[in-house]
């Protein structure tokens, strides 16, 4: 069976077939609604003591050079934006030759201000401080799915600047498979890890616009699955793409996000001035090209005329016989 790691663009059909056969095997082995994700190593963290134990696992992963995945579930309650829970995932595939079906890892959803949770300062404040310490530790590499949103959520809710954000599955998936039409987590799941099923779209649609009404047990499952899927996707995709290019997307994403909502600011006066300069520059270059071609009717938008100029008039060598 073809593995994702060894597939090329020309192997995409075979890769899709292999991916779906793997998913079929996983679903058969874990029947029932959301059977696969319910069988994974997931759980809830409610106290600072429980989080400290989780942090030990996550830091151990970081020491081995592995990123942890992070995902925030938030909502607006009574006009106030709040974080319901924050999830962390970890793990690795057993080996490069495992055909992406032997995963060793897990995920935990740290419960914060979900309506069913204890929201007293005695529980929340030390828990938030411990989480903030991990989020601001640059030695702990972190992977997000469209992390520009989470970066802002961390800043607003925890009051800190996120550190260690070194990979993003949305941008990595685009660089890995740029022919796909969409790169949301649901689409990444469908293309790379379909054994996770449709939990993402089903639950998101059911509680759209009222995420805080999702029962806590469902939210824990949802959040953990998001983290787990993000981490597994990163393990598949990261070795296939240039980390530097992913970083370019990470650093520009927040600006692009803001532009999506309000559009770029346009200085109309400056735009008019530059347009006149560009028109003058175009005319100047066109005159130079026509003098070079010895033809007052030379049109640089016509391939045949450009070819005559390059190869007949200027005598440039043809490459590859063209």
């Amino acid at each position: 069976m073809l593995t994702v790691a060894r597939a090329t663009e020309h192997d995409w059909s075979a890769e899709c077939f292999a991916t779906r056969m793997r998913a079929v095997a996983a679903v058969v082995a874990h029947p029932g609604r959301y059977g696969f994700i319910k069988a994974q190593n997931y759980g809830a963290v409610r106290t600072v003591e429980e989080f400290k134990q989780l942090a030990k696992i996550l830091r151990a992963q970081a020491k081995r050079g592995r990123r942890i995945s992070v995902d925030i579930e938030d909502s607006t309650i009574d006009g106030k934006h709040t974080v319901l829970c924050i999830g962390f995932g970890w793990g690795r595939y057993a080996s490069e030759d495992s055909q992406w079906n032997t995963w060793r890892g897990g995920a935990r959803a740290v419960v914060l201000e979900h309506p069913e949770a204890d929201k007293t300062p005695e529980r929340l404040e030390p828990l938030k401080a411990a989480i903030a310490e991990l989020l601001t530790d640059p030695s702990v590499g972190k992977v997000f799915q469209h992390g520009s949103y989470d970066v802002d959520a961390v800043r607003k809710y925890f009051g800190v600047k996120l550190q260690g954000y070194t990979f993003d599955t949305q941008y990595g998936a685009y660089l890995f498979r740029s022919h796909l039409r969409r790169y949301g987590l649901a689409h990444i799941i469908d293309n790379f890890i379909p054994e996770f099923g449709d939990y993402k779209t089903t639950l998101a649609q059911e509680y759209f616009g009222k995420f805080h009404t999702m029962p806590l047990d469902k939210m824990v499952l949802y959040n953990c699955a998001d983290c787990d899927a993000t981490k597994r996707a990163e393990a598949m995709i990261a070795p296939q793409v240039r980390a530097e290019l992913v970083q370019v997307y990470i650093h520009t994403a927040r600006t692009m996000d803001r532009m999506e909502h309000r559009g770029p600011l346009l200085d109309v006066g400056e735009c008019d001035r530059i347009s006149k300069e560009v028109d003058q520059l175009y005319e100047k270059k066109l005159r130079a090209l026509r003098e070079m071609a010895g033809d007052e009717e030379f049109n640089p938008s016509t391939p045949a005329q450009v070819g005559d100029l390059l190869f007949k008039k200027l005598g440039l060598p043809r490459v590859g016989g063209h």
Side-chain angles (χ1 to χ4, degrees):
M1 184 179 291
L2 184 69
T3 66
V4 173
R6 295 176 179 174
T8 66
E9 292 295 342
H10 301 292
D11 299 318
W12 181 242
S13 295
E15 178 184 321
C16 288
F17 178 78
T19 297
R20 275 147 181 76
M21 289 302 98
R22 183 195 68 226
V24 168
V27 171
V28 169
H30 305 93
R33 188 64 165 168
Y34 311 133
F36 177 79
I37 61 176
K38 287 180 178 179
Q40 304 309 305
N41 179 15
Y42 297 165
V45 169
R46 292 178 172 82
T47 68
V48 67
E49 290 77 16
E50 291 174 343
F51 181 78
K52 288 179 179 179
Q53 293 302 311
L54 171 62
K56 289 180 181 180
I57 296 174
L58 301 177
R59 292 185 184 280
Q61 292 289 307
K63 287 182 179 179
R64 292 181 175 88
R66 302 178 193 136
R67 299 180 186 91
I68 64 170
S69 59
V70 187
D71 181 63
I72 284 177
E73 311 298 348
D74 57 358
S75 188
T76 300
I77 303 176
D78 297 329
K80 178 185 177 183
H81 174 267
T82 190
V83 173
L84 305 172
C85 66
I86 180 170
F88 297 90
W90 71 93
R92 64 183 179 87
Y93 287 100
S95 70
E96 292 183 359
D97 296 322
S98 65
Q99 298 177 358
W100 308 121
N101 57 11
T102 307
W103 180 255
R104 296 176 180 172
R108 297 291 183 271
V110 185
V111 182
L112 292 169
E113 299 198 38
H114 189 280
E116 296 179 31
D118 171 13
K119 293 185 284 295
T120 61
E122 290 76 16
R123 185 187 77 91
L124 283 177
E125 293 309 317
L127 185 56
K128 289 171 61 176
I131 295 170
E133 183 180 353
L134 183 72
L135 293 175
T136 55
D137 187 344
S139 70
V140 180
K142 303 169 185 75
V143 53
F144 290 84
Q145 164 70 20
H146 190 66
S148 56
Y149 181 89
D150 299 83
V151 166
D152 280 341
V154 166
R155 176 180 55 82
K156 293 175 182 177
Y157 184 75
F158 294 97
V160 298
K161 182 179 180 181
L162 181 73
Q163 300 287 338
Y165 171 23
T166 58
F167 196 83
D168 195 293
T169 46
Q170 184 176 52
Y171 316 133
Y174 168 72
L175 294 171
F176 181 37
R177 296 296 185 201
S178 58
H179 63 282
L180 301 178
R181 295 179 64 86
R182 296 181 179 181
Y183 297 90
L185 186 57
H187 303 99
I188 289 175
I189 287 171
D190 183 55
N191 282 287
F192 296 99
I193 42 177
E195 57 267 36
F196 275 77
D198 63 350
Y199 84 92
K200 184 71 177 171
T201 52
T202 302
L203 290 175
Q205 290 173 358
E206 183 177 354
Y207 296 98
F208 180 75
K210 49 178 181 177
F211 219 54
H212 57 281
T213 66
M214 182 186 294
L216 184 56
D217 59 340
K218 284 188 177 181
M219 179 161 290
V220 168
L221 184 68
Y222 181 91
N223 186 228
C224 286
D226 277 2
C227 290
D228 193 10
T230 298
K231 179 57 190 172
R232 294 192 197 206
E234 180 257 355
M236 291 181 178
I237 295 167
Q240 315 299 326
V241 300
R242 292 287 299 272
E244 296 84 356
L245 286 177
V246 178
Q247 285 291 311
V248 169
Y249 280 82
I250 288 173
H251 290 309
T252 58
R254 293 179 67 193
T255 299
M256 298 301 292
D257 281 351
R258 290 194 294 270
M259 289 174 62
E260 279 188 12
H261 292 291
R262 69 186 185 198
L265 298 178
L266 177 64
D267 187 328
V268 177
E270 183 69 4
C271 183
D272 289 342
R273 185 188 67 79
I274 293 174
S275 295
K276 292 177 182 178
E277 289 187 3
V278 169
D279 289 342
Q280 293 172 1
L281 181 61
Y282 174 81
E283 292 297 328
K284 179 179 179 182
K285 296 299 182 182
L286 181 60
R287 287 195 298 271
L289 285 172
R290 286 175 171 172
E291 289 178 6
M292 190 182 300
D295 181 1
E296 288 297 323
E297 302 299 323
F298 175 77
N299 183 358
S301 297
T302 304
Q305 293 188 33
V306 173
D308 287 343
L309 174 61
L310 293 177
F311 304 119
K312 293 181 179 180
K313 184 75 175 181
L314 300 179
L316 297 180
R318 295 177 180 270
V319 178
H322 298 290

